[in-house]
Structure formats: structure tokens, C-alpha cells
């Protein structure tokens, strides 16, 4: 029998359970109301989460007004910006699995009938949705919304500018005072960072999947409209319980293909590949890496937000938001409008009334920024099981590149080389042993990619890694290389000076070394020693490769 609140409310044997509900303030006359878990990632460590207590208040009002009992609990979160470029980044992707497990535990242990997932930022969104897919409970997701852009010297800026500012500082283009003034300007409000980085990319994808109400991805965090949306989301969760609309209803193959189309049209973060694979795994949908290339090949890039453009999330909201993007794609038959949404209508019913209010922010189909989508999956002898690049963020002259390898076995060594000017134009920087097991946790490489861009090297230097990139990264940055170096993948065999060719339009990345020589190197290779404890030791023991979403064995299709 499926676990519901009936196991808490009903029968003489549940008198102790009802006593505990009385202690929570749940009255006898409330019996039979659905128990709605309010899963909140509110904390005072992450700017995107510092206001989620106010969002939760409105969600709870909505739940109660619609006839449900709201019961709030919290989950952890990691701020990738604060965790960047030090040991803390090893815990970022790991937190996704911990969040998913925590949500599952709370929902199952307490017989929840449904949930509202209050979230923001990189790993928290997919972690919560992975749990929703695993549990297949009725859920509605509501985010805290994006931060407003800052102002520096009369232009809009966001977090990526300060990371790139470090590279400019190393190059001597910024003074100490310049750097200080910039750091004061780039993050002016609460919310997820203002560009189309991973957090906002995931928000756009969730709205496309139909798990949120329209507008959730783009309404800026400080806007009062987000409080109204939160209240409506609470009511929608109760309605979903009454109608039996569980999470997997919205996580179909057609919905995932829609998500890939919006991902392509926007030029989202490379992390969406990792997270969509993981969510699909939990939902029982066999999402293939090749789908990303297939959808990108027919989907034009209509939106160009920071870090690759000068617009920000607030501009996308002003221009009509995700529904306006979907209307553009729907006009070309590039999305399936028949899929359901938690608002109770088909997706087409939501986007058909949307208006594009700015043709430069959301370009028309006959005038795209690029004819094909933002992300590309590369294969070749250096990445037999695939690698990911944000093609829309690569300068045209770097789409095809050949150069000698400059090999580093950790991120700090690269940063030291950049600071000291040892990265030569034309080279291919390799950062290895930073994959799911080797990192561990696939740390993001925003610091080196931004420092390279800030130093002007993104026009002549490529970067290849088995780690990840932030959505704020740009340049010829190829990540998620699988199999990873720590598992003996080809990346482990590269030596300084080896010629590497990159053909992004051709979807190829090639180590130009004879197979016989690679075989000799493989025989001599030894796995580097790692000494982990606690959660990292457990993670390394069970995590899969990036090509399957870096999921833990024993859940979803991975089981």
C-alpha cells in the first residue's frame, strides 16, 4: 500500500501519531487534509536562499487556503561561488545526492501526501527534483528567483565579471581599487546570480518541464510578484494531490526533449547535462547524450545572456520570460505543447498567450544569435564516452583548434601558472583527476576559465577537464570528459606537448598520439593516491561517471 497521511491520521492505532500532530498545532478537525511538506533550502549562507523564509510563508498561506496542512522542513545547500577554488568545491556535487536522500527520508518517514520544493541555486534544484522523481509524489517547485544585475562604471554586471576581473588584475589591467569597487557592485540583491549560470539555467529547465508555475524562472528575487507566485504554488500543490498528479507525470521523454530545446535556445550551463541525466535516471527515462546534439542541431540559439551576452535574467523576464521563448520554439514546431504542467493545463496553453516584448533579448527565428543550440557533446579518443562544451560561449576562432597540451593534475597549479603568466597562447590546458571520483565531486573550474578569459587568453587557449564548469564560464572550455582520468581514462595518458585537436562543429576531440604509444602509457599508469574520509569516501565508492549524470549506484536506472 502506498504511504500517505492516512497512515498518520487514521484508526485507533494512530492515536500516538495524532497526539504528535496536536503538538504541532494540527487540530482534530484538520484530519483528512493532505499533509504537504514544505521542503525549504533557506539558510543564511547563500545569497540565493537568504530570503526563502519569506517565500515559505507565502507558500504555507497558499497550502492552507487550498485546504492542506503545510509542514515545513529544511535541507542543506552549498553556495558554489563561496566554495569555488578550494577544498569546499569537492562537496558541491556531493550535496545534490545528500539533498535527494534527505527529501526522500522526510517524505517517506512522515507520510507526506505532496510537497512544495522551495529552492534556488546549482545543486539544490536537481537534488530536490531527483527526490521528487524517485518518490513520484505530487510536487510543485518554486524558486527564490534571480538576483538583479549590478552596476559598475555605468554597465550591468554580475558575478562572472568579478571572476574574470581576477584575470584582468593578474594581467595588470585592474588596480587594487578597481577590483575592490567591482566586488562591491556585482551582487547587489538576494537571489541566484543574475546571469544564465547553472542555477538560473536549471530554473528555466524546470519551468519548461512543467514543474513550476509560469514565471518562476525569471521573476527577480526582490519583486513582490514572486510572493504571489509562491502563494499560488502552495495552492497548486494541494490541487496536484487531489488530482493525483505525481512528479513523473511531468517527467516524460517529450518533456525532457522540450527541456533540451529550451536549453539550446537559451545557451544554458553545461551543468544542465549532468543534472538532466540524473533527474531522468530517477524518473526512469533513458536520456541519451546524443539527444543533446540532435536537439541542438535543429534548435536556434535565440537568447544570449551573461556570461556570453550583455543581457541578464531581469531582461529575459522583461522580454516575456520562458513562456515567450517557448512560444517562439512552438511556432517552429520545436517543442511538444501537449505535455502537462502543474498549473493544470497543457504547456501550449501557457505559452500561446505569451508575448515577446523585446526582439533583441529573445530574437525571432529568422534572426537567431546562432543557427544551432548552445551546448554540444563531443566524442573522440580523448573522450570515448563524451565531453560537454557550451558552444555558444566559444569565440568563433576557437571552434576549431589544434595545440600542444599543458597538463595539470589539480586546479591550484593552473591558477598559479595563470598568475605567473606561464600559459602560452595556442596551448590546450588539461586539468585532470578532478572528475566524480578523482575530484572527488567534479569541482567546477570557474576560477581558471574566468582568469583565462580575463587575461584575454580565451581567444587562443582551450581547456579540457574531467571536472565541471560553472554556468558563468565561457571560452573553449570542454568538461565532463568520460571516462575520467582517475578511472584510467585517456585524459590520464596525456603528456605535456602532445598535440590535441578540437573540432566543436564536428563534435570531435582528439589526442594525436599513436595507439601503440597510448597503450604503453596505459600499462605504466598508476592511479594517484587519494585519502578521503566521511561523506567523500562513501561518494567515491558509489558514484558513476559524468556520462550517466554522476549518480550514485542503487537509485533509478542505475540500480
Amino acid at each position: 500500500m502506498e504511504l500517505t497521511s492516512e497512515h498518520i491520521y487514521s484508526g485507533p492505532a494512530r492515536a500516538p501519531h495524532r497526539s504528535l500532530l496536536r503538538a504541532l498545532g494540527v487540530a482534530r478537525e484538520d484530519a483528512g487534509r493532505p499533509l504537504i511538506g514544505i521542503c525549504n533550502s533557506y539558510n543564511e549562507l547563500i545569497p540565493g536562499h537568504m530570503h526563502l523564509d519569506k517565500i515559505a510563508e507565502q507558500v504555507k498561506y497558499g497550502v492552507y487556503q487550498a485546504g492542506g496542512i503545510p509542514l515545513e522542513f529544511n535541507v542543506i545547500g552549498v553556495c558554489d561561488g563561496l566554495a569555488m577554488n578550494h577544498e569546499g568545491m569537492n562537496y558541491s556535487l556531493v550535496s545534490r545526492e545528500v539533498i535527494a536522500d534527505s527529501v526522500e527520508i522526510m517524505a517517506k518517514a512522515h507520510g507526506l501526501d505532496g510537497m512544495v520544493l522551495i529552492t534556488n541555486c546549482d545543486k539544490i534544484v536537481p537534488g530536490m527534483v531527483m527526490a521528487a522523481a524517485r518518490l513520484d509524489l505530487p510536487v510543485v517547485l518554486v524558486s527564490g528567483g534571480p538576483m538583479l544585475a549590478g552596476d559598475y562604471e555605468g554597465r550591468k554586471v554580475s558575478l562572472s565579471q568579478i571572476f574574470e576581473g581576477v584575470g584582468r588584475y593578474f594581467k595588470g589591467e585592474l588596480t587594487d581599487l578597481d577590483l575592490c569597487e567591482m566586488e562591491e557592485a556585482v551582487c547587489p540583491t538576494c537571489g541566484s546570480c543574475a546571469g544564465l549560470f547553472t542555477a538560473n539555467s536549471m530554473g528555466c529547465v524546470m519551468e519548461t518541464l512543467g514543474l513550476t508555475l509560469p514565471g518562476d524562472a525569471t521573476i527577480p528575487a526582490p519583486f513582490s510578484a514572486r510572493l504571489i507566485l509562491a502563494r499560488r504554488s502552495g495552492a497548486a500543490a494541494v490541487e496536484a494531490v487531489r488530482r493525483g498528479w505525481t512528479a513523473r507525470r511531468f517527467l516524460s521523454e517529450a518533456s525532457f526533449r522540450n527541456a533540451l530545446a529550451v536549453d539550446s535556445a537559451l545557451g544554458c550551463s553545461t551543468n544542465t547535462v549532468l543534472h538532466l541525466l540524473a533527474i531522468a535516471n530517477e524518473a526512469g527515462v533513458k536520456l541519451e547524450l546524443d539527444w543533446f546534439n540532435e536537439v541542438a542541431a535543429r534548435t536556434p540559439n535565440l537568447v544570449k545572456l551573461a556570461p556570453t551576452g550583455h543581457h541578464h535574467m531581469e531582461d529575459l523576464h522583461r522580454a516575456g520570460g520562458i513562456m515567450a521563448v517557448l512560444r517562439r520554439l512552438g511556432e517552429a514546431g520545436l517543442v511538444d505543447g501537449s505535455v502537462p504542467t502543474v498549473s493544470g493545463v497543457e504547456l501550449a496553453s501557457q505559452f500561446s498567450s505569451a508575448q515577446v516584448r523585446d526582439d533583441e533579448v529573445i530574437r525571432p527565428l529568422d534572426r537567431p544569435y546562432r543557427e544551432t543550440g548552445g551546448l554540444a557533446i563531443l566524442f573522440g579518443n580523448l573522450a570515448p564516452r563524451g565531453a560537454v562544451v557550451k558552444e555558444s560561449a566559444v569565440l568563433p576562432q576557437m571552434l576549431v583548434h589544434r595545440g600542444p597540451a599543458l597538463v595539470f593534475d589539480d586546479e591550484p597549479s593552473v591558477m598559479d601558472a595563470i598568475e605567473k603568466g606561464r600559459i602560452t597562447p595556442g596551448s590546450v590546458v588539461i586539468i585532470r583527476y578532478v572528475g566524480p571520483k578523482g575530484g572527488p565531486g567534479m569541482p567546477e573550474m570557474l576560477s581558471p576559465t574566468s582568469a583565462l578569459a580575463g587575461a584575454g587568453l580565451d581567444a587562443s587557449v582551450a581547456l579540457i577537464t574531467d571536472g565541471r564548469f560553472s554556468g558563468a564560464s565561457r571560452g573553449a572550455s570542454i568538461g565532463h570528459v568520460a571516462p575520467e582520468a582517475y578511472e584510467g581514462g585517456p585524459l590520464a595518458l596525456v603528456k605535456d606537448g602532445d598535440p590535441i585537436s578540437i573540432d566543436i562543429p564536428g563534435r570531435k576531440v582528439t589526442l594525436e598520439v599513436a595507439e601503440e604509444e597510448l597503450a604503453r602509457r596505459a600499462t605504466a599508469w598508476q592511479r594517484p593516491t587519494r585519502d578521503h574520509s566521511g561523506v567523500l569516501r562513501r561518494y567515491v565508492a558509489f558514484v558513476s561517471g559524468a556520462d550517466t549524470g554522476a549518480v550514485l549506484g542503487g537509485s533509478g536506472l542505475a540500480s
Side-chain angles (χ1 to χ4, degrees):
M1 180 185 295
E2 183 180 344
L3 180 66
T4 68
S5 60
E6 284 293 305
H7 296 82
I8 306 296
Y9 279 131
S10 299
R14 304 304 183 194
H17 304 68
R18 293 193 293 273
S19 293
L20 292 167
L21 290 175
R22 298 293 178 273
L24 291 172
V26 179
R28 182 177 299 277
E29 57 268 27
D30 290 325
R33 289 179 177 232
L35 299 183
I36 307 296
I38 311 300
C39 177
N40 192 357
S41 57
Y42 164 76
N43 61 63
E44 296 179 343
L45 271 169
I46 306 177
H49 297 230
M50 60 187 286
H51 62 304
L52 296 186
D53 54 337
K54 303 298 187 296
I55 299 292
E57 287 178 1
Q58 297 300 318
V59 168
K60 286 185 277 190
Y61 290 148
V63 168
Y64 199 79
Q65 288 170 348
I69 301 293
L71 299 169
E72 184 179 1
F73 63 93
N74 290 85
V75 295
I76 64 166
V78 171
C79 177
D80 281 13
L82 293 174
M84 195 69 65
N85 195 28
H86 57 77
E87 185 185 1
M89 182 47 71
N90 295 123
Y91 292 87
S92 175
L93 187 59
V94 175
S95 73
R96 186 189 72 179
E97 316 309 311
V98 174
I99 291 164
D101 291 348
S102 298
V103 175
E104 177 189 359
I105 289 167
M106 291 298 288
K108 283 291 191 182
H110 301 103
L112 298 179
D113 297 300
M115 290 186 293
V116 179
L117 309 173
I118 304 176
T119 182
N120 232 10
C121 299
D122 299 22
K123 310 309 160 300
I124 299 93
V125 176
M128 288 189 180
V129 177
M130 286 166 66
R134 186 185 303 173
L135 293 162
D136 200 24
L137 284 176
V139 297
V140 175
L141 185 141
V142 57
S143 79
M147 185 183 290
L148 293 173
D151 182 275
Y152 176 70
E153 295 183 338
R155 61 189 177 93
K156 285 184 176 182
V157 291
S158 57
L159 188 66
S160 61
Q161 271 81 20
I162 189 64
F163 273 97
E164 292 183 12
V166 173
R168 295 177 61 195
Y169 177 83
F170 290 157
K171 195 179 179 182
E173 294 181 356
L174 294 181
T175 66
D176 288 334
L177 180 59
D178 293 332
L179 199 63
C180 182
E181 289 180 349
M182 187 184 290
E183 73 183 56
E184 295 292 334
V186 296
C187 295
T189 71
C190 61
S192 50
C193 298
L196 190 62
F197 312 145
T198 303
N200 292 324
S201 294
M202 291 307 299
C204 295
V205 166
M206 292 304 112
E207 188 171 329
T208 305
L209 287 173
L211 289 172
T212 76
L213 298 185
D216 185 73
T218 58
I219 296 173
F223 283 18
S224 295
R226 184 153 291 281
L227 300 178
I228 298 170
L229 183 76
R231 194 159 60 250
R232 290 173 177 165
S233 298
V238 178
E239 184 66 13
V241 170
R242 287 179 175 148
R243 291 181 177 267
W245 294 341
T246 59
R248 294 193 186 189
R249 181 174 189 260
F250 310 102
L251 298 173
S252 64
E253 180 177 321
S255 293
F256 277 106
R257 288 188 180 274
N258 286 346
L260 298 189
V262 166
D263 194 317
S264 294
L266 297 176
C268 288
S269 163
T270 53
N271 281 315
T272 57
V273 177
L274 199 71
H275 298 323
L276 284 172
L277 287 169
I279 293 167
N281 176 73
E282 297 287 0
V285 175
K286 187 63 175 176
L287 177 57
E288 302 283 356
L289 274 177
D290 285 340
W291 291 12
F292 290 86
N293 284 340
E294 291 170 11
V295 173
R298 62 175 180 265
T299 307
N301 181 203
L302 303 178
V303 177
K304 205 171 184 66
L305 304 185
T308 60
H310 62 275
H311 295 126
H312 293 80
M313 290 299 292
E314 63 200 65
D315 299 305
L316 179 58
H317 178 65
R318 173 179 52 81
I322 296 305
M323 289 302 128
V325 175
L326 281 165
R327 179 169 181 176
R328 285 272 203 244
L329 297 176
E331 290 168 354
L334 294 171
V335 292
D336 182 348
S338 69
V339 298
T341 70
V342 293
S343 62
V345 300
E346 292 182 345
L347 187 63
S349 296
Q350 290 186 163
F351 69 65
S352 61
S353 60
Q355 299 295 322
V356 177
R357 304 188 189 97
D358 190 325
D359 276 346
E360 195 57 30
V361 177
I362 306 173
R363 286 194 171 180
L365 293 160
D366 61 359
R367 192 172 58 87
Y369 283 100
R370 297 178 70 256
E371 293 294 335
T372 56
L375 297 181
I377 310 298
L378 311 184
F379 296 93
N381 71 339
L382 194 55
R385 299 209 306 262
V388 184
V389 64
K390 188 172 182 176
E391 186 175 5
S392 60
V394 181
L395 292 171
Q397 64 266 37
M398 290 299 293
L399 289 170
V400 177
H401 179 74
R402 184 179 185 273
L406 254 175
V407 182
F408 300 90
D409 289 347
D410 57 63
E411 182 182 354
S413 299
V414 182
M415 289 301 295
D416 182 65
I418 296 170
E419 184 175 354
K420 293 177 179 175
R422 296 205 303 263
I423 305 295
T424 54
S427 59
V428 178
V429 173
I430 302 291
I431 310 177
R432 64 188 179 189
Y433 300 119
V434 290
K437 289 181 180 290
M442 267 186 108
E444 288 187 345
M445 300 289 143
L446 178 58
S447 291
T449 58
S450 297
L452 287 170
L457 291 170
D458 59 323
S460 61
V461 172
L463 192 155
I464 300 176
T465 180
D466 48 11
R468 299 181 295 122
F469 298 114
S470 164
S473 295
R474 62 185 176 93
S477 302
I478 300 167
H480 304 205
V481 170
E484 63 175 293
Y486 190 75
E487 291 283 81
L491 206 63
L493 309 180
V494 183
K495 291 185 177 181
D496 282 339
D498 285 348
I500 295 175
S501 63
I502 298 165
D503 181 359
I504 294 174
R507 307 301 191 239
K508 297 287 289 184
V509 56
T510 306
L511 174 61
E512 296 180 357
V513 175
E515 289 299 319
E516 297 80 4
E517 172 61 19
L518 293 178
R520 282 193 292 271
R521 293 181 189 181
T523 300
W525 176 77
Q526 292 184 330
R527 179 178 286 110
T529 302
R530 295 282 193 268
D531 184 20
H532 300 301
S533 60
V535 66
L536 293 184
R537 176 180 291 176
R538 293 194 297 273
Y539 185 83
V540 169
F542 293 105
V543 70
S544 71
D547 55 310
T548 58
V551 296
L552 299 185
S555 65
L557 292 176
S559 63

